[in-house]
Amino acid sequence: MKTFQMILTMCLFSGMSLSAAEWFVDKQKGNDTFSGKSSEKPFKTIARAIKAGGRSDTINIKAAPTPYFEPIKLVGTKGTATKPFVINGGGAVISGLQVLELSKWVVQGKGYFYKVGKRSSNQHLTILINGKVVKQAASPEKCVPGSFCWTGDGFFYVPEMGKKPADLSIQGTLGDSGVMCVNAKNVIVRDIISERHSNDGFNLHGSCHSLIFQNIVGRNNGDDGFSIHEDGEVVVMGGEFHHNDYGIQDINASRSMYHGVKVYNNRVGINFSGGTRSLIGSLLKDNPVQISLTSGVPSVYLPQNRDSWIYAGNTFIKNTVIRGGDYGIQCLKRTKSQIVNCALKGCKTGIYVGDKAECVLKASLILDSKVALEFFPKSGFTRNCNIYYPAVFMLDKKSVTLKQLQGAGNDARSLAEKPKTWGAERLRSKTQPFTSTRPRVYLGPEL
């Protein structure tokens, strides 16, 4: 019995962190031969600190005038629920830029070619000269002086008249993703800026669970500012995602929660494809498509039945403001969504609900849209207590009035009039809405 108890005790303690350590990184005064255990003897690189780190450790990164030109790779990194593994970024920038060596540029036709090698289709590579993005052309034939194109395995660049690569400081977005998590558990990452990667600013794969990201920025990345895949789980509390292809793109059967994020100047603001999502107290602006909700697909180790309910997509959106764009919220395929206490302003189409999608819209404002709502007879679209101004609706591609929609059993307490409190501080100070017969929208303290 004693032997069994000893073995059990050893097993229990083997899964616990008995003495979590703290590590320090400083690219300016650090050295990877130092101990890394104090701010006086820090490591120079983040990679060295991660290699030294163990379960539930903390890594403190000191910001510098220039970025760290290396990723943060958390592969199998683990903490516990009460003592997570922590990355304190300190506002540091990590960049995917790499110098394009002068010796590797070769003359080709009217320009120069730099061989990189094949890259996956989700990576979008660009070059910068003296810190400025170079204009991109569709093909070598369409390159004009001062532009480049990606050929599939390298950069073709036509310098401005009288110049050549040797005269310029040229960098390429050769780094794949900035913060990469694979099979990580109980991890907190905070105060990190991830930029200029060919793929994602933040990229999460595999069985990732109990991950928390706080006060992060994903900007100027080729694909996504932030993205989680497979069946992982993440919470993002405070962040900005801008000037990416997608600001946020979460796919497959993963689960994600966003609180107080700002998403702007991306081609698509947010794409939730399958899985379970929530977006609360956030702001989206200046994305042509602000939010696109679609059904997901299997990937890698997930069940391969594409029709499974886990890929349908279920999204909850509350206390969120959306400004401008062609579409405020698109609900497509088999998605199910709840939109509560939100304000959409200046979108060409406020909310679009496809014929197989289900959506609940309540206590929200849709203002200054050419079309407030567009949906179809087979759409599962439930609405009430909203304010539409102007009240322009499209049902099965035909214009209908609010009175006609109310007659169909929806929007019984919705109004078609300009709200008197849009943009006023008192809009934020009201108690929870709909204590009377008149709709009131409370956007919440996050905004």
Side-chain angles (χ1 to χ4, degrees):
M1 176 64 83
K2 287 185 178 181
T3 302
F4 174 76
Q5 288 176 335
M6 289 177 64
I7 294 173
L8 179 61
T9 301
M10 290 173 66
C11 289
L12 288 172
F13 274 94
S14 68
M16 298 173 62
S17 177
L18 299 178
S19 56
E22 198 164 5
W23 306 94
F24 296 83
V25 180
D26 186 338
K27 67 171 291 187
Q28 289 184 290
K29 70 175 186 179
N31 192 306
D32 282 353
T33 64
F34 289 167
S35 68
K37 293 183 178 180
S38 70
S39 57
E40 286 72 36
K41 292 289 184 179
F43 292 133
K44 185 177 184 65
T45 66
I46 300 169
R48 178 67 183 88
I50 292 173
K51 183 178 179 180
R55 186 167 182 140
S56 296
D57 285 359
T58 295
I59 295 175
N60 300 297
I61 303 170
K62 186 172 182 179
T66 58
Y68 287 81
F69 294 101
E70 59 172 319
I72 297 176
K73 293 184 178 181
L74 303 176
V75 180
T77 304
K78 293 180 176 64
T80 67
T82 56
K83 182 64 177 175
F85 186 98
V86 178
I87 299 280
N88 287 320
V93 177
I94 59 172
S95 172
L97 288 175
Q98 295 179 24
V99 174
L100 302 183
E101 301 174 36
L102 295 178
S103 61
K104 293 186 178 181
W105 287 101
V106 296
V107 176
Q108 187 178 93
K110 63 180 180 180
Y112 296 83
F113 180 72
Y114 189 101
K115 188 174 180 61
V116 172
K118 295 288 186 182
R119 293 294 184 98
S120 60
S121 60
N122 61 321
Q123 295 188 40
H124 306 284
L125 287 87
T126 60
I127 61 176
L128 285 77
I129 294 179
N130 300 324
K132 294 184 178 180
V133 177
V134 177
K135 182 179 179 181
Q136 187 167 2
S139 66
E141 295 74 27
K142 294 184 178 180
C143 279
V144 297
S147 69
F148 87 100
C149 78
W150 172 252
T151 64
D153 65 349
F155 298 111
F156 178 76
Y157 170 58
V158 180
E160 294 178 345
M161 197 66 65
K163 302 244 176 152
K164 55 186 178 180
D167 303 324
L168 306 166
S169 174
I170 307 179
Q171 296 172 300
T173 56
L174 299 184
D176 184 333
S177 294
V179 177
M180 293 182 280
C181 297
V182 181
N183 299 334
K185 310 275 194 304
N186 294 301
V187 173
I188 296 176
V189 177
R190 57 169 68 102
D191 299 322
I192 280 285
I193 300 169
S194 181
E195 66 178 22
R196 302 290 184 194
H197 297 88
S198 61
N199 191 16
D200 302 339
F202 296 80
N203 179 288
L204 285 58
H205 273 279
S207 183
C208 286
H209 299 288
S210 302
L211 303 186
I212 299 175
F213 289 79
Q214 299 172 329
N215 191 32
I216 59 173
V217 178
R219 66 191 185 195
N220 297 298
N221 296 290
D223 196 11
D224 309 327
F226 192 100
S227 184
I228 184 169
H229 309 69
E230 287 87 55
D231 64 345
E233 172 194 72
V234 66
V235 177
V236 178
M237 304 180 70
E240 293 192 20
F241 307 100
H242 61 90
H243 294 92
N244 309 283
D245 192 34
Y246 290 79
I248 297 170
Q249 184 170 221
D250 296 343
I251 66 174
N252 307 131
S254 55
R255 303 173 305 285
S256 53
M257 301 176 66
Y258 294 88
H259 297 261
V261 298
K262 295 180 181 179
V263 185
Y264 55 94
N265 290 117
N266 308 279
R267 184 178 65 84
V268 177
I270 296 176
N271 173 222
F272 289 149
S273 177
T276 304
R277 322 287 174 198
S278 69
L279 177 70
I280 298 174
S282 297
L283 171 66
L284 291 92
K285 63 178 183 178
D286 301 325
N287 308 287
V289 176
Q290 303 281 14
I291 298 177
S292 179
L293 309 179
T294 63
S295 296
V297 295
S299 177
V300 194
Y301 56 85
L302 297 178
Q304 295 300 306
N305 178 8
R306 300 174 73 93
D307 294 328
S308 171
W309 64 270
I310 65 174
Y311 305 122
N314 193 320
T315 302
F316 178 72
I317 304 174
K318 186 174 182 180
N319 287 9
T320 290
V321 172
I322 299 172
R323 296 176 182 164
D326 295 329
Y327 288 92
I329 302 175
Q330 291 178 325
C331 306
L332 307 173
K333 298 184 179 179
R334 298 182 295 136
T335 58
K336 302 177 188 295
S337 57
Q338 301 175 68
I339 304 166
V340 181
N341 272 61
C342 292
L344 291 79
K345 191 175 191 296
C347 312
K348 289 182 180 178
T349 299
I351 297 177
Y352 177 95
V353 183
D355 59 1
K356 294 181 181 179
E358 296 181 30
C359 177
V360 175
L361 175 67
K362 185 175 180 182
S364 295
L365 302 173
I366 303 182
L367 309 176
D368 302 335
S369 295
K370 290 185 177 180
V371 177
L373 308 176
E374 182 174 357
F375 58 106
F376 300 86
K378 292 183 180 181
S379 301
F381 196 10
T382 303
R383 308 167 306 281
N384 209 356
C385 301
N386 305 300
I387 299 178
Y388 310 109
Y389 185 81
V392 179
F393 311 102
M394 297 295 293
L395 174 59
D396 200 20
K397 302 295 183 180
K398 298 177 182 178
S399 178
V400 294
T401 65
L402 178 59
K403 187 174 182 180
Q404 288 173 307
L405 295 182
Q406 290 171 326
N410 277 292
D411 284 309
R413 293 172 60 193
S414 296
L415 301 175
E417 62 180 49
K418 186 175 182 179
K420 298 180 175 62
T421 55
W422 170 256
E425 280 302 315
R426 61 196 180 97
L427 183 66
R428 303 163 187 260
S429 63
K430 293 287 186 182
T431 56
Q432 199 64 19
F434 311 119
T435 54
S436 68
T437 58
R438 184 177 181 80
R440 286 185 289 145
V441 177
Y442 173 72
L443 297 180
E446 300 94 337
L447 297 169

